[in-house]
Amino acid sequence: MADDGYSSSAWESAENSDPSHPSYGLFQPNPSVLHESSTSPAVSSLPVKPSSPPPRSSSDSLGRSSTSKWRDSIPVTVERKDTLSTIPSDVASLVEASFDENVLRALCELDCGVPLLLDRIKQSMVSCREASVFFKKRAVLEDEYGKSLQKLSRGTSEVYSMNDGKAGSFVNAWQSTMKIHEVMADNRIRFSQRLNEMSDELASLAKEVDKNRKQTKELASRYERALQESEMMMEKSKARLDATSEELERVLLQKEGESFKESGLQAKSPGGVGGKRALGKAVAKGGLLLKGKNPGNILRQEDDIRSRVSSASDSYRKALTDTQTMRQEYFNFQLPRILRALKECADEIDLGTQYHLTRYAFLFESIVLSDGSTLVPPSLEDGLGLKSTVESIDNRADFKIYMQNYAYARGGAAARGPRRDGPAEEGFLPPLPTHGSGAGGYPGVHGNTSATNTASSQIPDRGRPTFGVDLAEQMARDSVELPPIMEKCCAAIEKYGLYSQGIYRISGMARKVALLKERLDKDMDSVNLDADEWTSDINNVTSVFKLWLRELPDPLLTSSLHQGFVEAAKIENDRLRHIRLHERVNDLPDPNYATLKFFMGHLHRIAQHEAENSMSIQNLAIVFGPTLFGQAVPSNGSTSGHVNGGMADAPFQNKAIETILEHYTDIFVDEGEAA
């Protein structure tokens, strides 16, 4: 009967049944553990790790099974110890350092840990596939939109070039508008390609996780079936032991001459298959000896039954020991490994889905910002933008050119309609006097100047230019402590542009900037910056002000101190860099120091409203670094080396302005002024 016991080598058969199945590093049975005596600890020789999950007691495991009745019938004790906590220190830990051991411990204590993780992975796969489908559909929409917009812009541009449409500034603006739309269409097509890539990656991730989930689920099922079969074999061994024990009792009663049906003996082993057995009380009415029974046959029968009882007892003891060992290995070793593999699958798909969603958000934000920078470029070097391109259309100048061309083309043709001139005796009136220089009294029809130039030429020149004049010279000429143009422009900017997005970073319209510069240069006092003409787009005022700073013959921070500022900006220590730059500021000439102090205060107030205008100290430093230090303009190639040096110093120029702005109060504001 010893062969009827279920050996714990079933773990090996469970693992070796599918050679292609990944092992996930699961435990291989230890022969020394499997042949341990029933009264000794299963794995008592291994050290205990205090950080491992708490062990399951044998009473907990037996309480889960229907075989809890063993403890009253067979005096077999198998001490349970946590296999996770008894792994030697030289063996790799089951749980990685980044893995949440508390989660694994909690899952091990749950009866439903495996189905919980399987259902969770199914939910995660549904979410992952939904995100993949969304990316795929969004990619189709973006691709269709981008290709349609690209086709529309190119087709419109080609059709307009073949038709008899307006020429001049309108056709230039129209073609630029179509190119802007083509750029936006290309951005959308690239965005669609990225969405397709993310959709395919998510689909592959869901497929791979689903495969791993099924493999791990099958492995867990095989282990559970092996444990259940071991418990069933133990139940059968116990039933055989109970049956042979009962048969032995009958023989003993016969041997002693007592009636089996009327005896009062009670079984000592409760918890059998049919519950407690009661044989009744002994009723000895006359002794009822078994007559005709051969004592020799009874003795042989007793020896045979005792032999079978001994064999059944050994088989049951072995089955009980093997089952408890297998149960210990399952709950304390195999189950944590399976739960860890499932939890890693869940984490993999959850983190993968979140990563691609984050990537989608970044790409979506980037495409929107790209469209915005295409429509409104941050600087003139990047183009005019859609609004500025449309505003560059000069209908008046276009019409003037059209009149010139039309009149020239029709000059040799026969006149149609009534004659304009003729002899007075025939009733023709003398021609009306004209005040313009063009035919028909229309100013500028045959001239080369535009209406804007004509209007600006009427502005009286006071003979006190501002642009391109040395700072100290114009302040001494006007007997002022600050340049009037700086006070005038900064006041208007703080009044109308303090909350304007990208103030000083966004450029104004070139035509408006040129007009305002000319008016300020000829008669600054007559220019009203509070007029709607300038307040409607404060960027025109900021562009003129930056132009005045750039056109100073000697930069505001002076060429002589340029290298000193750069060397101070290269210092890495913040405190020492602040001190050295403070010294360089104090070395500036008085006009430059006063102007810089006023201007830094103005920029300090701009930076205080960063939340509204998006112009931080760093952004302002990038805008005004090259402006305040001056940019060398190459002339016949003689200053190319200086230009390259200036470009190399650009980061340090920006750092100098940034540091001065950050410490504006310490550098410029006295204690008395602050109070």
Side-chain angles (χ1 to χ4, degrees):
M1 301 297 290
D3 295 337
D4 296 335
Y6 196 91
S7 173
S8 61
S9 62
W11 293 126
E12 289 185 334
S13 63
E15 293 218 15
N16 296 331
S17 60
D18 186 5
S20 64
H21 193 283
S23 64
Y24 291 95
L26 293 174
F27 174 79
Q28 298 294 335
N30 188 349
S32 63
V33 175
L34 299 181
H35 298 289
E36 191 75 38
S37 65
S38 60
T39 59
S40 63
V43 281
S44 59
S45 62
L46 299 178
V48 177
K49 286 188 179 180
S51 61
S52 301
R56 292 175 181 268
S57 65
S58 60
S59 59
D60 292 342
S61 299
L62 291 173
R64 301 170 187 268
S65 166
S66 62
T67 60
S68 61
K69 304 169 187 176
W70 305 339
R71 293 170 297 191
D72 296 330
S73 59
I74 301 298
V76 178
T77 58
V78 178
E79 181 182 352
R80 301 184 65 108
K81 289 196 175 182
D82 188 4
T83 310
L84 282 179
S85 65
T86 57
I87 300 177
S89 59
D90 58 343
V91 180
S93 176
L94 290 176
V95 182
E96 299 293 339
S98 60
F99 194 82
D100 193 346
E101 296 185 22
N102 295 327
V103 174
L104 180 61
R105 185 179 298 112
L107 290 172
C108 290
E109 291 298 327
L110 291 176
D111 294 337
C112 57
V114 173
L116 180 148
L117 286 174
L118 292 174
D119 292 341
R120 179 61 176 179
I121 293 174
K122 287 179 65 177
Q123 290 182 350
S124 298
M125 286 192 301
V126 171
S127 302
C128 181
R129 290 191 177 107
E130 286 296 325
S132 175
V133 171
F134 170 76
F135 290 159
K136 182 67 69 175
K137 292 182 178 179
R138 179 69 190 273
V140 172
L141 292 177
E142 293 293 340
D143 185 67
E144 181 180 357
Y145 170 73
K147 290 182 178 178
S148 299
L149 182 60
Q150 188 181 63
K151 180 179 179 181
L152 174 63
S153 57
R154 291 178 179 176
T156 303
S157 178
E158 293 174 0
V159 169
Y160 190 87
S161 62
M162 293 185 294
N163 292 334
D164 188 16
K166 291 201 304 182
S169 61
F170 180 85
V171 69
N172 295 331
W174 182 255
Q175 297 296 342
S176 299
T177 301
M178 294 301 104
K179 289 181 180 178
I180 291 174
H181 283 78
E182 284 190 38
V183 172
M184 296 173 62
D186 292 338
N187 292 338
R188 293 292 176 170
I189 293 175
R190 286 195 296 270
F191 183 45
S192 171
Q193 295 172 353
R194 298 295 182 274
L195 290 177
N196 275 320
E197 293 174 1
M198 291 193 297
S199 176
D200 294 340
E201 290 174 3
L202 280 179
S204 300
L205 175 63
K207 184 177 179 181
E208 184 66 23
V209 169
D210 188 27
K211 176 183 175 182
N212 293 338
R213 173 186 174 275
K214 291 179 179 178
Q215 292 175 345
T216 309
K217 179 181 178 182
E218 178 62 24
L219 185 63
S221 300
R222 288 206 302 272
Y223 284 140
E224 292 176 359
R225 285 197 301 269
L227 181 57
Q228 291 172 359
E229 291 174 0
S230 177
E231 291 176 347
M232 290 176 61
M233 295 300 296
M234 184 187 66
E235 290 286 348
K236 292 179 181 179
S237 299
K238 187 177 185 302
R240 282 193 292 269
L241 177 61
D242 291 341
T244 52
S245 298
E246 184 176 338
E247 188 175 355
L248 178 60
E249 290 174 3
R250 290 195 190 99
V251 172
L252 292 176
L253 289 175
Q254 290 176 358
K255 182 179 178 181
E256 295 175 2
E258 296 181 4
S259 174
F260 173 72
K261 295 182 179 179
E262 296 176 352
S263 65
L265 297 178
Q266 248 181 338
K268 298 297 184 179
S269 55
V273 178
K276 294 184 179 181
R277 292 185 297 108
L279 299 178
K281 296 183 178 181
V283 180
K285 297 182 179 180
L288 291 182
L289 296 176
L290 297 174
K291 297 179 180 180
K293 293 291 184 179
N294 189 345
N297 292 337
I298 293 177
L299 184 60
R300 285 192 298 271
Q301 187 179 5
E302 178 185 354
D303 293 339
D304 179 62
I305 293 175
R306 284 186 183 278
S307 175
R308 285 190 289 137
V309 168
S310 176
S311 176
S313 177
D314 292 341
S315 177
Y316 174 57
R317 185 184 301 275
K318 184 178 184 301
L320 177 62
T321 303
D322 291 343
T323 301
Q324 289 205 12
T325 302
M326 186 177 294
R327 186 182 293 112
Q328 174 179 327
E329 296 300 331
Y330 174 73
F331 283 109
N332 293 335
F333 199 89
Q334 309 293 353
L335 181 61
R337 286 182 177 271
I338 293 172
L339 293 175
R340 180 180 184 274
L342 291 175
K343 186 62 170 64
E344 287 179 348
C345 285
D347 291 343
E348 180 183 3
I349 192 169
D350 289 341
L351 294 176
T353 303
Q354 184 181 8
Y355 164 74
H356 283 88
L357 289 175
T358 305
R359 184 183 174 192
Y360 164 74
F362 172 77
L363 290 176
F364 191 20
E365 179 182 351
S366 299
I367 196 67
V368 173
L369 292 176
S370 177
D371 288 347
S373 61
T374 302
L375 294 173
V376 184
S379 62
L380 288 176
E381 290 78 6
D382 299 327
L384 292 178
L386 186 59
K387 180 182 176 183
S388 300
T389 299
V390 174
E391 290 178 345
S392 66
I393 299 175
D394 191 344
N395 291 317
R396 186 182 182 91
D398 290 349
F399 187 70
K400 180 191 68 175
I401 295 174
Y402 176 74
M403 289 178 63
Q404 294 175 353
N405 296 336
Y406 193 89
Y408 178 80
R410 300 298 178 93
R416 296 181 181 180
R419 288 190 300 166
R420 178 185 300 275
D421 300 323
E425 57 271 15
E426 294 183 7
F428 287 95
L429 296 176
L432 295 174
T434 60
H435 300 282
S437 59
Y442 189 87
V445 172
H446 298 292
N448 294 325
T449 58
S450 65
T452 302
N453 294 335
T454 303
S456 61
S457 63
Q458 298 175 358
I459 301 175
D461 191 350
R462 304 296 182 184
R464 304 174 68 176
T466 301
F467 289 83
V469 180
D470 183 74
L471 182 64
E473 179 182 338
Q474 58 179 297
M475 292 174 66
R477 179 197 65 196
D478 298 335
S479 301
V480 292
E481 296 181 357
L482 291 171
I485 187 173
M486 173 176 282
E487 292 183 302
K488 194 179 191 72
C489 292
C490 289
I493 293 168
E494 292 182 13
K495 185 175 182 180
Y496 301 104
L498 209 56
Y499 303 97
S500 177
Q501 278 282 340
I503 189 69
Y504 279 120
R505 181 173 58 84
I506 300 176
S507 303
M509 293 179 57
R511 183 169 54 86
K512 290 281 189 179
V513 171
L515 177 61
L516 180 58
K517 173 192 174 183
E518 184 178 4
R519 292 185 179 181
L520 289 172
D521 209 32
K522 289 185 176 181
D523 188 4
M524 185 184 308
D525 296 335
S526 65
V527 178
N528 181 18
L529 294 182
D530 292 326
D532 293 340
E533 183 180 9
W534 311 118
T535 59
S536 59
D537 189 359
I538 198 65
N539 295 319
N540 295 324
V541 180
T542 60
S543 297
V544 169
F545 181 48
K546 289 189 294 183
L547 185 61
W548 174 76
L549 288 171
R550 284 196 298 269
E551 291 188 359
L552 288 174
D554 192 25
L556 184 59
L557 297 181
T558 72
S559 301
S560 59
L561 294 177
H562 177 276
Q563 194 60 31
F565 277 104
V566 171
E567 294 298 329
K570 291 181 180 179
I571 300 175
E572 295 184 359
N573 183 276
D574 294 340
R575 180 59 182 167
L576 184 58
R577 182 173 65 251
H578 165 210
I579 294 173
R580 292 293 177 262
L581 287 174
H582 194 169
E583 293 174 352
R584 300 290 81 75
V585 169
N586 290 337
D587 292 340
L588 288 171
D590 291 342
N592 297 63
Y593 180 87
T595 303
L596 181 65
K597 177 180 179 180
F598 181 86
F599 183 52
M600 288 294 109
H602 168 68
L603 294 184
H604 183 70
R605 289 185 288 274
I606 295 290
Q608 287 178 335
H609 295 80
E610 175 188 354
E612 292 83 10
N613 55 40
S614 301
M615 291 302 291
S616 61
I617 290 179
Q618 292 79 5
N619 293 339
L620 291 171
I622 292 173
V623 172
F624 285 102
T627 301
L628 298 183
F629 279 97
Q631 293 177 316
V633 179
S635 176
N636 297 329
S638 59
T639 59
S640 58
H642 183 59
V643 172
N644 294 332
M647 293 177 63
D649 292 340
F652 303 109
Q653 295 173 356
N654 299 341
K655 191 64 178 178
I657 301 302
E658 180 181 342
T659 304
I660 294 173
L661 266 178
E662 287 176 346
H663 301 280
Y664 162 75
T665 305
D666 297 334
I667 296 176
F668 294 105
V669 180
D670 298 332
E671 294 183 0
E673 295 180 6

